Amino acid sequence: MWNHDSLRQAATFIDLTGCVFAENRDPALFSMVIWALWNRRNNHRLGKTIISLDQLLQQAKDRLREFALHNTSYTVPVGRPPTRWHPPEQPLYKLNFDGALFEAEQCAGLGAILRNSEGQVMVSLTERSTLPFTAIEVEALAARRALLLALETGFDRVILERDSQVLITALQNNSYTLSHFGHLIKDIQYLASCFSEIHFSHVRRHCNTVAHALAKRANSIFQYQVWMEDVPPDIISVLEADFLG
């Protein structure tokens, strides 16, 4: 990463820093490594425990991920949630998700759909999963899968939308990180840190009908299915009704 001729030729630290930033050689990680070196030096001078140089790069990466996690733009709308599905404003994409429990089959369904500012479908998914313990865990699994879907298909500016105030609140303020589904909340928050821009939105159930239909559809498949710029034929009528309100 930084083992490059232009960097090795830098005569001073200022020159080195300038090259890293000018050539965009992960300047954020570079800055965190410099901080880690400075912190290690100070701890050594004060007689405190220090990490080995072999561990320093990993420490810098961990601190950078932690910083990104706590500095991502999270928002929750104030006031009453909307009464119908609305397309997002450019350049955002709206990512609706839902989960469904199939207790008789001992499984759960996950559904997600990503649409642009004109309501056009970018990608949709239905996935069958092993049955978690509670409904909130299914919702959290669906949120995690929806974010993965967006990242896998290259969309990094999204509004994550669901008709679950509990989950949206948990994602907003970390209030459930010690609960039985706290590990899922942490997974979601880490994935959220990978987005350039992300917002969390709570809506009424009838604003989330397509994602709900996709989640229910998972009971009829074996693993998962993905549709690029489309939904399965049996969901088209739900999609049209959702957009028209």
Side-chain angles (χ1 to χ4, degrees), residues 16 42 61 100 114 167 207-208 217:
L16 175 63
N42 286 346
K61 290 179 178 179
L114 184 75
L167 182 60
C207 302
N208 203 44
R217 191 180 188 277

Side-chain angles (χ1 to χ4, degrees), residues 7 11 38 46 63 96 112 118 122 135-136 152 158 206 212 220:
L7 301 184
W38 174 82
L46 295 172
R63 291 294 175 87
N96 289 84
E118 297 180 359
M122 300 292 100
I136 189 65
E152 289 166 353
V158 303
H206 51 262
H212 181 68
S220 62

Side-chain angles (χ1 to χ4, degrees), residues 15-54:
D15 292 339
L16 175 63
T17 303
C19 288
V20 169
F21 278 80
E23 298 177 13
N24 197 28
R25 295 185 177 276
D26 206 338
L29 181 58
F30 176 80
S31 301
M32 195 62 74
V33 168
I34 296 303
W35 173 86
L37 285 168
W38 174 82
N39 186 60
R40 183 180 184 276
R41 170 182 172 274
N42 286 346
N43 286 339
H44 179 68
R45 292 180 62 185
L46 295 172
K48 296 182 179 180
T49 302
I50 60 174
I51 64 171
S52 68
L53 290 175
D54 293 337

Side-chain angles (χ1 to χ4, degrees), residues 41-218:
R41 170 182 172 274
N42 286 346
N43 286 339
H44 179 68
R45 292 180 62 185
L46 295 172
K48 296 182 179 180
T49 302
I50 60 174
I51 64 171
S52 68
L53 290 175
D54 293 337
Q55 297 173 303
L56 190 138
L57 180 59
Q58 187 58 51
Q59 182 196 52
K61 290 179 178 179
D62 292 342
R63 291 294 175 87
L64 186 60
R65 279 194 292 267
E66 182 181 350
F67 175 83
L69 178 62
H70 289 91
N71 287 274
T72 305
S73 173
Y74 299 133
T75 61
V76 173
V78 177
R80 296 176 64 86
T83 57
R84 58 177 292 269
W85 186 86
H86 287 279
E89 294 184 3
Q90 290 184 330
L92 294 171
Y93 295 84
K94 184 166 285 189
L95 181 59
N96 289 84
F97 68 96
D98 203 356
L101 284 168
F102 309 119
E103 294 184 1
E105 293 80 7
Q106 289 294 294
C107 68
L110 313 178
I113 180 170
L114 184 75
R115 285 171 279 188
N116 66 9
S117 59
E118 297 180 359
Q120 297 170 328
V121 178
M122 300 292 100
V123 61
S124 62
L125 168 141
T126 182
E127 182 171 319
R128 187 183 179 109
S129 176
T130 54
L131 184 64
F133 294 108
T134 64
I136 189 65
E137 287 178 287
V138 177
E139 294 176 3
L141 284 171
R144 184 176 68 178
R145 188 63 184 92
L147 290 179
L148 279 171
L149 178 67
L151 289 172
E152 289 166 353
T153 49
F155 297 94
D156 68 345
R157 294 180 180 273
V158 303
I159 299 172
L160 185 67
E161 190 169 82
R162 169 71 166 90
D163 57 303
S164 171
Q165 186 66 65
V166 173
L167 182 60
I168 296 301
T169 300
L171 294 174
Q172 173 68 14
N173 60 23
N174 295 325
S175 59
Y176 290 82
T177 53
L178 297 180
S179 69
H180 64 280
F181 64 99
H183 63 291
L184 294 173
I185 297 299
K186 290 179 180 178
D187 284 352
I188 295 167
Q189 289 172 332
Y190 171 72
L191 289 172
S193 72
C194 299
F195 286 77
S196 298
E197 184 176 358
I198 185 168
H199 307 270
F200 296 137
S201 172
H202 168 241
V203 293
R204 299 180 187 276
R205 173 165 285 277
H206 51 262
C207 302
N208 203 44
T209 55
V210 180
H212 181 68
L214 287 165
K216 297 286 286 185
R217 191 180 188 277

